[in-house]
Every structure is written in structure tokens, then in C-alpha cells.
Amino acid sequence: MKASPGILIILAIQVGCTLVFVSDIAISVLGLRSVPIDWQLRELIEIGAALGLVLGAVMGVIALNRSDARRRRVEDQLQAASGAFNDLLQQRFREWGLTPAERDVALFAIKGMSLAEIATLRGTSEGTIKAQSAAVYRKAGVSGRAQLLSHFVEELMDVSLLPTTPST
């Protein structure tokens, strides 16, 4: 992500203000200043540097708030996409006339579970899961698990689940 010019300017001001404070301390500690700065000028420089640091802190809070808002929007979009994917699955399962058991087996297969894992979760034998998987593949018109998953991936690529925003 590219930083906005405003953020870069504020960052430059903060770096400059930090350098003013650090260099002033270093010069005092090392005794490098032979002629002292007028106290009023020194106070003005320190006030300006402090204001710059405060401005940077405020801008940091604003940037964090914007970032958090963007994160929430993306999470909401992901949740919407997840719900849309589930809706798509359920719609296809209805269209294919899958039984409730076949729906479970299809969903577990799409999630990448093995036949043994599905059998354990469903409390049935692997043979039953194999038979149900074969029924799912036949009803879906696919030859196996990879094609079943591919069917949904291709459909998701053809249909946008998220609202589109114009590119800038």
C-alpha cells in the first residue's frame, strides 16, 4: 500500500522534530555549543518541535482508526463472501437432489477431509462414505472430489460475490 503525501509530510515533520530534540541534548551533553542560543529562540524551537510531535501522534491515531475501519470492512466483505459461498453450495446441493447425508459428505469432501475422517465424523463406515461420495459425484455430474471442488471454484470465478467498486 502506498503512503499518502499527507502521511509522508507528517512523518518528515516528526523526524525533523525528533532530530531537534536529540541534537539539542547531544550538543549539550558533548559540550559542542560554544555560544549559547538565546533562551527565547530555544523555547520557540522546542515548542515548534513539540507541536510537530503532537501533530504526528494525532495523525497516527487517525491513520490507525482508518486502518481499523478498513479491516472491519474487509472482514465484513469476507463474511459476506463466506455466506454467499455457503448459499451457493446449498443451492447446488438442492439442485442436484442430494440427501442430507450426501450434503454432509459433499461439504466435508469440499473441505478436504479424507474418507476416514468423514466416516469418523459421521459415525459410519468408510464403505458408506464411499457410496455416498459416488452418489454425490454422479448427481453433480463430476468424476471425483477434485472436479467437485473445481465446479465451485469455477462458478465463484464467474460470479462476483462481493460488491464491486470502481477502480481509481
Side-chain angles (χ1 to χ4, degrees):
M1 189 168 110
K2 187 178 175 184
S4 71
I7 297 289
L8 292 176
I9 290 169
I10 296 301
L11 182 61
I13 291 171
Q14 274 195 305
V15 168
C17 294
T18 302
L19 287 175
V20 166
F21 281 121
V22 171
S23 65
D24 186 47
I25 291 170
I27 289 170
S28 294
V29 168
L30 298 175
L32 298 177
R33 184 175 293 128
S34 60
V35 178
I37 298 176
D38 180 49
W39 72 270
Q40 291 173 326
L41 177 60
R42 184 183 180 125
E43 292 293 320
L44 287 175
I45 290 171
E46 288 180 356
I47 288 171
L51 288 175
L53 291 173
V54 168
L55 178 64
V58 169
M59 292 302 294
V61 168
I62 290 170
L64 280 173
N65 284 338
R66 287 181 180 172
S67 176
D68 190 48
R70 184 180 189 305
R71 180 194 53 81
R72 282 194 305 270
R73 273 193 318 274
V74 168
E75 284 178 354
D76 290 345
Q77 289 174 333
L78 184 58
Q79 186 68 29
S82 176
F85 182 67
N86 187 48
D87 291 346
L88 176 65
L89 285 174
Q90 297 307 320
Q91 179 183 349
R92 291 300 169 265
F93 292 171
R94 279 190 304 276
E95 290 172 3
W96 297 336
L98 300 184
T99 66
E102 291 168 346
R103 287 175 186 222
D104 287 347
V105 170
L107 186 58
F108 290 141
I110 289 169
K111 288 183 176 185
M113 295 181 173
S114 69
L115 293 176
E117 290 171 324
I118 297 171
T120 301
L121 285 171
R122 301 244 333 115
T124 62
S125 71
E126 281 189 55
T128 301
I129 300 303
K130 284 181 185 178
Q132 291 170 330
S133 295
V136 168
Y137 302 149
R138 179 180 40 77
K139 291 177 179 181
V142 297
S143 63
R145 181 188 305 236
Q147 279 191 346
L148 180 65
L149 181 57
S150 176
H151 171 80
F152 290 105
V153 170
E154 287 176 10
E155 195 160 348
L156 288 173
M157 289 171 54
D158 289 342
V159 178
S160 175
L161 297 176
L162 298 175
T164 56
T165 56
S167 299
T168 54

mmCIF file of all heavy atoms in Angstrom, residues 12 17-18 37 50-51 67 69 95 100 109 112 117 128 139 141 145 151 168:
data_model
loop_
_atom_site.group_PDB
_atom_site.id
_atom_site.type_symbol
_atom_site.label_atom_id
_atom_site.label_comp_id
_atom_site.label_asym_id
_atom_site.label_seq_id
_atom_site.Cartn_x
_atom_site.Cartn_y
_atom_site.Cartn_z
ATOM 1 N N ALA A 12 7.820 13.267 7.997
ATOM 2 C CA ALA A 12 9.025 14.092 7.848
ATOM 3 C C ALA A 12 9.099 15.143 8.957
ATOM 4 O O ALA A 12 10.178 15.391 9.525
ATOM 5 C CB ALA A 12 9.031 14.762 6.477
ATOM 6 N N CYS A 17 11.440 17.047 13.996
ATOM 7 C CA CYS A 17 11.253 17.463 15.392
ATOM 8 C C CYS A 17 12.049 16.583 16.343
ATOM 9 O O CYS A 17 12.645 17.075 17.311
ATOM 10 C CB CYS A 17 9.769 17.415 15.756
ATOM 11 S SG CYS A 17 8.778 18.624 14.849
ATOM 12 N N THR A 18 12.073 15.308 16.067
ATOM 13 C CA THR A 18 12.851 14.390 16.889
ATOM 14 C C THR A 18 14.328 14.729 16.805
ATOM 15 O O THR A 18 15.040 14.740 17.821
ATOM 16 C CB THR A 18 12.605 12.933 16.453
ATOM 17 O OG1 THR A 18 11.198 12.658 16.549
ATOM 18 C CG2 THR A 18 13.375 11.951 17.310
ATOM 19 N N ILE A 37 22.411 29.541 22.670
ATOM 20 C CA ILE A 37 21.273 30.103 21.915
ATOM 21 C C ILE A 37 20.445 30.943 22.877
ATOM 22 O O ILE A 37 20.285 30.596 24.051
ATOM 23 C CB ILE A 37 20.401 28.973 21.336
ATOM 24 C CG1 ILE A 37 21.203 28.115 20.363
ATOM 25 C CG2 ILE A 37 19.166 29.512 20.663
ATOM 26 C CD1 ILE A 37 20.431 26.922 19.837
ATOM 27 N N ALA A 50 7.778 20.249 19.713
ATOM 28 C CA ALA A 50 6.769 19.530 20.495
ATOM 29 C C ALA A 50 5.436 19.498 19.756
ATOM 30 O O ALA A 50 4.755 18.470 19.719
ATOM 31 C CB ALA A 50 6.611 20.176 21.869
ATOM 32 N N LEU A 51 5.056 20.635 19.152
ATOM 33 C CA LEU A 51 3.805 20.669 18.378
ATOM 34 C C LEU A 51 3.868 19.696 17.192
ATOM 35 O O LEU A 51 2.880 19.034 16.864
ATOM 36 C CB LEU A 51 3.506 22.089 17.897
ATOM 37 C CG LEU A 51 3.048 23.072 18.972
ATOM 38 C CD1 LEU A 51 2.911 24.481 18.375
ATOM 39 C CD2 LEU A 51 1.738 22.625 19.582
ATOM 40 N N SER A 67 -7.274 2.574 9.346
ATOM 41 C CA SER A 67 -6.837 1.204 9.093
ATOM 42 C C SER A 67 -7.795 0.206 9.739
ATOM 43 O O SER A 67 -8.149 -0.812 9.142
ATOM 44 C CB SER A 67 -5.421 1.011 9.626
ATOM 45 O OG SER A 67 -5.006 -0.317 9.469
ATOM 46 N N ALA A 69 -10.957 0.712 10.442
ATOM 47 C CA ALA A 69 -12.223 0.757 9.702
ATOM 48 C C ALA A 69 -12.118 -0.064 8.417
ATOM 49 O O ALA A 69 -13.041 -0.804 8.058
ATOM 50 C CB ALA A 69 -12.599 2.203 9.380
ATOM 51 N N GLU A 95 -30.307 -28.423 -6.067
ATOM 52 C CA GLU A 95 -30.486 -28.697 -7.499
ATOM 53 C C GLU A 95 -30.097 -30.132 -7.849
ATOM 54 O O GLU A 95 -30.724 -30.754 -8.702
ATOM 55 C CB GLU A 95 -29.652 -27.728 -8.341
ATOM 56 C CG GLU A 95 -30.156 -26.311 -8.328
ATOM 57 C CD GLU A 95 -29.203 -25.332 -9.020
ATOM 58 O OE1 GLU A 95 -28.166 -25.769 -9.571
ATOM 59 O OE2 GLU A 95 -29.496 -24.125 -8.990
ATOM 60 N N PRO A 100 -29.661 -35.356 2.919
ATOM 61 C CA PRO A 100 -28.904 -34.696 3.989
ATOM 62 C C PRO A 100 -27.538 -35.356 4.241
ATOM 63 O O PRO A 100 -26.545 -34.661 4.453
ATOM 64 C CB PRO A 100 -29.825 -34.806 5.212
ATOM 65 C CG PRO A 100 -31.199 -34.825 4.623
ATOM 66 C CD PRO A 100 -31.056 -35.608 3.345
ATOM 67 N N ALA A 109 -16.062 -33.270 1.933
ATOM 68 C CA ALA A 109 -15.128 -33.532 0.825
ATOM 69 C C ALA A 109 -14.586 -32.213 0.272
ATOM 70 O O ALA A 109 -13.393 -32.092 -0.011
ATOM 71 C CB ALA A 109 -15.833 -34.325 -0.272
ATOM 72 N N GLY A 112 -11.882 -30.844 2.146
ATOM 73 C CA GLY A 112 -10.612 -31.553 2.028
ATOM 74 C C GLY A 112 -10.418 -32.698 2.999
ATOM 75 O O GLY A 112 -9.297 -33.188 3.146
ATOM 76 N N GLU A 117 -11.755 -39.639 7.763
ATOM 77 C CA GLU A 117 -12.162 -38.528 8.640
ATOM 78 C C GLU A 117 -13.669 -38.290 8.548
ATOM 79 O O GLU A 117 -14.333 -38.073 9.568
ATOM 80 C CB GLU A 117 -11.411 -37.258 8.258
ATOM 81 C CG GLU A 117 -9.936 -37.285 8.580
ATOM 82 C CD GLU A 117 -9.177 -36.099 8.004
ATOM 83 O OE1 GLU A 117 -9.507 -35.630 6.883
ATOM 84 O OE2 GLU A 117 -8.242 -35.625 8.691
ATOM 85 N N THR A 128 -19.652 -46.809 3.496
ATOM 86 C CA THR A 128 -20.855 -45.974 3.367
ATOM 87 C C THR A 128 -20.485 -44.611 2.800
ATOM 88 O O THR A 128 -21.173 -44.085 1.906
ATOM 89 C CB THR A 128 -21.544 -45.809 4.739
ATOM 90 O OG1 THR A 128 -21.896 -47.088 5.239
ATOM 91 C CG2 THR A 128 -22.773 -44.925 4.646
ATOM 92 N N LYS A 139 -24.582 -37.358 -9.108
ATOM 93 C CA LYS A 139 -25.638 -36.347 -9.156
ATOM 94 C C LYS A 139 -25.094 -34.985 -9.596
ATOM 95 O O LYS A 139 -25.797 -34.213 -10.248
ATOM 96 C CB LYS A 139 -26.325 -36.221 -7.794
ATOM 97 C CG LYS A 139 -27.159 -37.442 -7.426
ATOM 98 C CD LYS A 139 -27.765 -37.294 -6.043
ATOM 99 C CE LYS A 139 -28.616 -38.492 -5.658
ATOM 100 N NZ LYS A 139 -29.226 -38.339 -4.324
ATOM 101 N N GLY A 141 -22.565 -34.633 -11.588
ATOM 102 C CA GLY A 141 -22.032 -34.740 -12.948
ATOM 103 C C GLY A 141 -20.521 -34.560 -13.008
ATOM 104 O O GLY A 141 -20.001 -34.052 -14.002
ATOM 105 N N ARG A 145 -13.637 -35.874 -6.379
ATOM 106 C CA ARG A 145 -13.534 -34.762 -5.438
ATOM 107 C C ARG A 145 -12.934 -33.515 -6.087
ATOM 108 O O ARG A 145 -13.416 -32.406 -5.874
ATOM 109 C CB ARG A 145 -12.685 -35.199 -4.250
ATOM 110 C CG ARG A 145 -12.518 -34.144 -3.195
ATOM 111 C CD ARG A 145 -11.523 -34.562 -2.135
ATOM 112 N NE ARG A 145 -11.855 -35.823 -1.543
ATOM 113 C CZ ARG A 145 -12.031 -36.018 -0.238
ATOM 114 N NH1 ARG A 145 -11.865 -35.029 0.597
ATOM 115 N NH2 ARG A 145 -12.342 -37.196 0.237
ATOM 116 N N HIS A 151 -15.709 -27.373 -9.694
ATOM 117 C CA HIS A 151 -17.018 -26.846 -10.118
ATOM 118 C C HIS A 151 -17.351 -25.555 -9.362
ATOM 119 O O HIS A 151 -17.764 -24.559 -9.967
ATOM 120 C CB HIS A 151 -18.107 -27.904 -9.867
ATOM 121 C CG HIS A 151 -19.495 -27.393 -10.059
ATOM 122 N ND1 HIS A 151 -20.072 -27.265 -11.295
ATOM 123 C CD2 HIS A 151 -20.413 -26.940 -9.166
ATOM 124 C CE1 HIS A 151 -21.295 -26.767 -11.155
ATOM 125 N NE2 HIS A 151 -21.521 -26.563 -9.869
ATOM 126 N N THR A 168 -9.865 3.253 -9.313
ATOM 127 C CA THR A 168 -9.469 4.663 -9.426
ATOM 128 C C THR A 168 -8.125 4.763 -10.070
ATOM 129 O O THR A 168 -7.355 3.889 -10.109
ATOM 130 C CB THR A 168 -9.421 5.326 -8.037
ATOM 131 O OG1 THR A 168 -8.583 4.578 -7.174
ATOM 132 C CG2 THR A 168 -10.809 5.484 -7.467
#
